[in-house]
Short mmCIF file of all heavy atoms in Angstrom, two decimals:
data_model
loop_
_atom_site.label_atom_id
_atom_site.label_comp_id
_atom_site.label_asym_id
_atom_site.label_seq_id
_atom_site.Cartn_x
_atom_site.Cartn_y
_atom_site.Cartn_z
N GLY A 389 -40.83 24.26 134.59
CA GLY A 389 -40.42 24.43 133.20
C GLY A 389 -38.97 24.87 133.09
O GLY A 389 -38.21 24.37 132.24
N ALA A 390 -38.55 25.81 133.93
CA ALA A 390 -37.17 26.28 133.90
C ALA A 390 -36.21 25.15 134.25
O ALA A 390 -35.15 25.00 133.62
CB ALA A 390 -37.00 27.46 134.86
N ALA A 391 -36.56 24.34 135.25
CA ALA A 391 -35.69 23.24 135.66
C ALA A 391 -35.54 22.20 134.56
O ALA A 391 -34.43 21.72 134.28
CB ALA A 391 -36.24 22.59 136.93
N THR A 392 -36.65 21.84 133.90
CA THR A 392 -36.57 20.84 132.84
C THR A 392 -35.84 21.38 131.61
O THR A 392 -35.10 20.65 130.95
CB THR A 392 -37.97 20.35 132.45
OG1 THR A 392 -38.79 21.47 132.05
CG2 THR A 392 -38.65 19.64 133.61
N ARG A 393 -36.04 22.67 131.31
CA ARG A 393 -35.35 23.24 130.16
C ARG A 393 -33.86 23.38 130.39
O ARG A 393 -33.06 23.35 129.44
CB ARG A 393 -35.94 24.62 129.81
CG ARG A 393 -37.36 24.64 129.31
CD ARG A 393 -37.57 23.79 128.08
NE ARG A 393 -37.95 22.42 128.42
CZ ARG A 393 -37.80 21.39 127.63
NH1 ARG A 393 -37.26 21.53 126.45
NH2 ARG A 393 -38.18 20.19 128.01
N LEU A 394 -33.45 23.57 131.65
CA LEU A 394 -32.02 23.68 131.95
C LEU A 394 -31.28 22.41 131.55
O LEU A 394 -30.14 22.47 131.06
CB LEU A 394 -31.83 23.96 133.44
CG LEU A 394 -30.38 24.15 133.91
CD1 LEU A 394 -29.71 25.30 133.17
CD2 LEU A 394 -30.33 24.39 135.42
N MET A 395 -31.93 21.27 131.72
CA MET A 395 -31.33 20.01 131.26
C MET A 395 -31.05 20.03 129.77
O MET A 395 -30.02 19.57 129.29
CB MET A 395 -32.26 18.84 131.59
CG MET A 395 -32.41 18.51 133.06
SD MET A 395 -33.49 17.08 133.26
CE MET A 395 -32.58 15.84 132.33
N VAL A 396 -32.00 20.59 129.02
CA VAL A 396 -31.85 20.64 127.56
C VAL A 396 -30.75 21.61 127.17
O VAL A 396 -29.98 21.34 126.23
CB VAL A 396 -33.19 21.04 126.91
CG1 VAL A 396 -33.06 21.11 125.40
CG2 VAL A 396 -34.29 20.06 127.31
N VAL A 397 -30.65 22.75 127.86
CA VAL A 397 -29.58 23.71 127.58
C VAL A 397 -28.22 23.07 127.75
O VAL A 397 -27.32 23.23 126.90
CB VAL A 397 -29.71 24.94 128.51
CG1 VAL A 397 -28.49 25.85 128.36
CG2 VAL A 397 -30.97 25.73 128.19
N ILE A 398 -28.04 22.33 128.83
CA ILE A 398 -26.76 21.67 129.07
C ILE A 398 -26.46 20.64 127.97
O ILE A 398 -25.34 20.55 127.46
CB ILE A 398 -26.77 20.99 130.45
CG1 ILE A 398 -26.88 22.06 131.54
CG2 ILE A 398 -25.52 20.14 130.64
CD1 ILE A 398 -27.11 21.50 132.93
N ARG A 399 -27.47 19.93 127.57
CA ARG A 399 -27.29 18.87 126.57
C ARG A 399 -27.00 19.43 125.18
O ARG A 399 -26.20 18.87 124.42
CB ARG A 399 -28.54 18.00 126.53
CG ARG A 399 -28.45 16.82 125.59
CD ARG A 399 -29.64 15.90 125.78
NE ARG A 399 -29.56 14.74 124.92
CZ ARG A 399 -30.42 13.73 124.96
NH1 ARG A 399 -31.40 13.73 125.85
NH2 ARG A 399 -30.29 12.70 124.13
N LEU A 400 -27.64 20.57 124.83
CA LEU A 400 -27.52 21.13 123.48
C LEU A 400 -26.75 22.44 123.47
O LEU A 400 -26.94 23.28 122.58
CB LEU A 400 -28.93 21.36 122.89
CG LEU A 400 -29.84 20.14 122.80
CD1 LEU A 400 -31.19 20.54 122.21
CD2 LEU A 400 -29.20 19.04 121.96
N ARG A 401 -25.85 22.63 124.42
CA ARG A 401 -25.17 23.92 124.56
C ARG A 401 -24.37 24.31 123.32
O ARG A 401 -24.15 25.50 123.06
CB ARG A 401 -24.26 23.90 125.79
CG ARG A 401 -23.20 22.81 125.79
CD ARG A 401 -22.50 22.74 127.15
NE ARG A 401 -21.49 21.68 127.19
CZ ARG A 401 -21.77 20.41 127.44
NH1 ARG A 401 -23.02 20.03 127.66
NH2 ARG A 401 -20.81 19.51 127.48
N GLN A 402 -23.92 23.34 122.54
CA GLN A 402 -23.14 23.65 121.33
C GLN A 402 -24.02 24.22 120.22
O GLN A 402 -23.50 24.79 119.26
CB GLN A 402 -22.43 22.39 120.84
CG GLN A 402 -21.46 21.77 121.83
CD GLN A 402 -20.33 22.70 122.20
OE1 GLN A 402 -19.89 23.51 121.40
NE2 GLN A 402 -19.85 22.59 123.44
N GLN A 403 -25.34 24.07 120.34
CA GLN A 403 -26.26 24.52 119.28
C GLN A 403 -26.86 25.90 119.56
O GLN A 403 -27.65 26.40 118.77
CB GLN A 403 -27.41 23.51 119.13
CG GLN A 403 -26.97 22.08 118.89
CD GLN A 403 -26.30 21.91 117.55
OE1 GLN A 403 -26.60 22.61 116.59
NE2 GLN A 403 -25.36 20.96 117.47
N LEU A 404 -26.49 26.53 120.67
CA LEU A 404 -27.13 27.78 121.08
C LEU A 404 -26.74 28.95 120.18
O LEU A 404 -25.57 29.12 119.83
CB LEU A 404 -26.75 28.11 122.53
CG LEU A 404 -27.23 27.12 123.60
CD1 LEU A 404 -26.66 27.52 124.96
CD2 LEU A 404 -28.75 27.10 123.65
N ASP A 405 -27.74 29.76 119.83
CA ASP A 405 -27.52 31.02 119.12
C ASP A 405 -27.60 32.13 120.18
O ASP A 405 -28.68 32.63 120.50
CB ASP A 405 -28.59 31.21 118.05
CG ASP A 405 -28.38 32.47 117.21
OD1 ASP A 405 -27.71 33.40 117.69
OD2 ASP A 405 -28.93 32.54 116.09
N HIS A 406 -26.46 32.54 120.70
CA HIS A 406 -26.43 33.44 121.86
C HIS A 406 -27.02 34.80 121.54
O HIS A 406 -27.69 35.41 122.39
CB HIS A 406 -25.00 33.57 122.37
CG HIS A 406 -24.42 32.29 122.89
ND1 HIS A 406 -24.71 31.80 124.14
CD2 HIS A 406 -23.59 31.38 122.31
CE1 HIS A 406 -24.07 30.66 124.34
NE2 HIS A 406 -23.40 30.37 123.24
N LEU A 407 -26.78 35.32 120.34
CA LEU A 407 -27.32 36.62 119.98
C LEU A 407 -28.85 36.58 119.93
O LEU A 407 -29.53 37.49 120.44
CB LEU A 407 -26.76 37.07 118.63
CG LEU A 407 -27.28 38.43 118.11
CD1 LEU A 407 -26.95 39.54 119.11
CD2 LEU A 407 -26.68 38.73 116.74
N ARG A 408 -29.41 35.55 119.32
CA ARG A 408 -30.87 35.41 119.25
C ARG A 408 -31.47 35.29 120.65
O ARG A 408 -32.49 35.90 120.95
CB ARG A 408 -31.22 34.19 118.39
CG ARG A 408 -32.67 33.70 118.46
CD ARG A 408 -33.66 34.69 117.86
NE ARG A 408 -33.55 34.83 116.44
CZ ARG A 408 -34.15 34.04 115.54
NH1 ARG A 408 -34.89 33.03 115.94
NH2 ARG A 408 -34.02 34.28 114.26
N ILE A 409 -30.83 34.51 121.51
CA ILE A 409 -31.35 34.31 122.87
C ILE A 409 -31.33 35.62 123.64
O ILE A 409 -32.29 35.96 124.34
CB ILE A 409 -30.53 33.23 123.60
CG1 ILE A 409 -30.71 31.88 122.90
CG2 ILE A 409 -30.95 33.12 125.07
CD1 ILE A 409 -29.68 30.84 123.31
N ARG A 410 -30.24 36.39 123.53
CA ARG A 410 -30.16 37.68 124.23
C ARG A 410 -31.26 38.62 123.75
O ARG A 410 -31.87 39.34 124.55
CB ARG A 410 -28.79 38.33 124.02
CG ARG A 410 -27.68 37.74 124.86
CD ARG A 410 -26.49 38.69 124.92
NE ARG A 410 -25.91 38.91 123.59
CZ ARG A 410 -24.95 38.15 123.07
NH1 ARG A 410 -24.48 37.11 123.75
NH2 ARG A 410 -24.47 38.42 121.88
N THR A 411 -31.52 38.63 122.45
CA THR A 411 -32.56 39.50 121.91
C THR A 411 -33.93 39.13 122.47
O THR A 411 -34.72 39.99 122.86
CB THR A 411 -32.58 39.42 120.37
OG1 THR A 411 -31.30 39.77 119.86
CG2 THR A 411 -33.63 40.35 119.79
N LEU A 412 -34.22 37.84 122.52
CA LEU A 412 -35.50 37.38 123.06
C LEU A 412 -35.64 37.74 124.54
O LEU A 412 -36.70 38.20 124.98
CB LEU A 412 -35.63 35.87 122.87
CG LEU A 412 -35.86 35.36 121.44
CD1 LEU A 412 -35.73 33.83 121.41
CD2 LEU A 412 -37.23 35.78 120.93
N VAL A 413 -34.57 37.53 125.30
CA VAL A 413 -34.62 37.81 126.75
C VAL A 413 -34.80 39.31 127.00
O VAL A 413 -35.61 39.72 127.84
CB VAL A 413 -33.35 37.29 127.45
CG1 VAL A 413 -33.29 37.79 128.89
CG2 VAL A 413 -33.31 35.77 127.41
N LEU A 414 -34.05 40.14 126.27
CA LEU A 414 -34.20 41.59 126.43
C LEU A 414 -35.61 42.04 126.06
O LEU A 414 -36.20 42.91 126.71
CB LEU A 414 -33.17 42.33 125.57
CG LEU A 414 -31.72 42.24 126.04
CD1 LEU A 414 -30.78 42.88 125.02
CD2 LEU A 414 -31.56 42.91 127.40
N GLY A 415 -36.17 41.43 125.03
CA GLY A 415 -37.54 41.76 124.64
C GLY A 415 -38.55 41.33 125.67
O GLY A 415 -39.60 41.97 125.84
N ALA A 416 -38.25 40.25 126.39
CA ALA A 416 -39.20 39.73 127.38
C ALA A 416 -39.38 40.67 128.56
O ALA A 416 -40.44 40.68 129.20
CB ALA A 416 -38.73 38.36 127.87
N VAL A 417 -38.37 41.48 128.87
CA VAL A 417 -38.43 42.33 130.06
C VAL A 417 -39.61 43.31 130.04
O VAL A 417 -40.39 43.37 131.00
CB VAL A 417 -37.09 43.07 130.27
CG1 VAL A 417 -37.19 44.06 131.42
CG2 VAL A 417 -35.98 42.06 130.54
#
Side-chain angles (χ1 to χ4, degrees):
T392 56
R393 294 303 90 202
L394 182 58
M395 291 182 59
V396 179
V397 172
I398 295 171
R399 183 171 182 174
L400 302 180
R401 58 189 179 278
Q402 300 299 328
Q403 305 293 330
L404 296 174
D405 183 337
H406 296 280
L407 179 59
R408 166 67 69 86
I409 295 165
R410 283 197 298 271
T411 303
L412 288 171
V413 170
L414 289 174
V417 174

